[in-house]
Amino acid sequence: MTDTTETIARRRTSADEPAIWLGCLHCYNCGRLVGHWFAASGADEVTLADVHRGSRVDFAREGCEEIWGLDIENMPVHREMDAMEAARWGALYDEVDDADEWQAISAWVRSGDYIAEGDSDIPVLPDFRERFCGTWDSMEDYAYSLVDDLGMLDGMPEEVARYFDHSAYARDLRLSGEYSTVDAPDGGVYIFRCC
């Protein structure tokens, strides 16, 4: 049995941490909203006692049996889910390096062009890290960097290299199907390789 104090302490540790509102399904079906917000990490350890804390509902006598996630925050999917799935999202969050990486992963998932674990919606972190090209002001800025990093114009006379059309190259990258972009929350775009 989970120590209630420990579960309550895991309610939320940072503003970007995925969270789930876990409630008693029996109480909900009877017209009572009984539950609390919990961090997604460890949500699978939340008990009926944790959910009913402070509600004055005798969950054993009422016949309460099922906990369900009726709302979520800071997850790239937008739907109800059970505590087990929320815990998997929480475990992924615990593996990321920082809030910026979590936002980029969330954008990758929302793009619909990502690699998931099995038949779940949970993205595969190593595949994300392999495909994430960074946050850029625009696709054109990324194209400038790519041309430079690949040395595409190395050895060309300056008179010829200055006529290279970076805007057209950025457009071709976008249309090639090899890259996808998602608007970043603070401006610019996240860029992902698709293959």
Side-chain angles (χ1 to χ4, degrees):
M1 182 170 211
T2 303
D3 177 68
T4 304
T5 308
E6 181 181 317
T7 302
I8 292 168
R10 284 289 300 144
R11 288 186 72 193
R12 183 61 76 75
T13 57
S14 68
D16 66 314
E17 182 177 14
I20 186 165
W21 194 90
L22 293 173
C24 172
L25 197 54
H26 174 76
C27 291
Y28 180 78
N29 290 335
C30 292
R32 295 180 300 223
L33 198 56
V34 175
H36 299 281
W37 282 99
F38 296 92
S41 296
D44 55 338
E45 298 174 8
V46 173
T47 66
L48 282 169
D50 297 329
V51 168
H52 287 86
R53 179 183 36 80
S55 70
R56 298 184 184 171
V57 173
D58 184 342
F59 59 90
R61 188 174 339 143
E62 289 280 335
C64 303
E65 296 177 344
E66 191 173 354
I67 296 171
W68 188 249
L70 297 171
D71 198 5
I72 58 172
E73 285 185 351
N74 300 321
M75 291 194 206
V77 295
H78 301 287
R79 57 179 166 69
E80 295 179 4
M81 66 180 61
D82 64 21
M84 295 290 286
E85 182 181 359
R88 290 181 67 198
W89 283 107
L92 176 66
Y93 175 82
D94 290 343
E95 287 184 55
V96 301
D97 294 334
D98 56 33
D100 292 334
E101 186 176 40
W102 179 250
Q103 286 183 352
I105 289 169
S106 296
W108 192 46
V109 172
R110 285 191 304 274
S111 78
D113 192 16
Y114 71 103
I115 299 169
E117 294 177 4
D119 62 351
S120 76
D121 290 333
I122 310 294
V124 178
L125 188 56
D127 287 319
F128 163 79
R129 288 178 172 155
E130 180 181 315
R131 286 168 168 73
F132 183 49
C133 300
T135 307
W136 297 84
D137 288 337
S138 66
M139 187 66 169
E140 190 169 327
D141 285 344
Y142 176 70
Y144 268 96
S145 178
L146 189 61
V147 166
D148 189 46
D149 291 347
L150 295 176
M152 292 172 63
L153 301 178
D154 289 355
M156 271 197 177
E158 177 61 32
E159 296 80 30
V160 175
R162 81 176 112 194
Y163 289 102
F164 184 81
D165 190 342
H166 288 86
S167 297
Y169 183 61
R171 183 191 65 239
D172 290 347
L173 288 176
R174 206 175 11 257
L175 296 174
S176 71
E178 295 178 25
Y179 293 88
S180 65
T181 62
V182 177
D183 290 338
D186 297 327
V189 293
Y190 295 118
I191 298 177
F192 307 99
R193 272 188 295 282
C194 297
C195 47

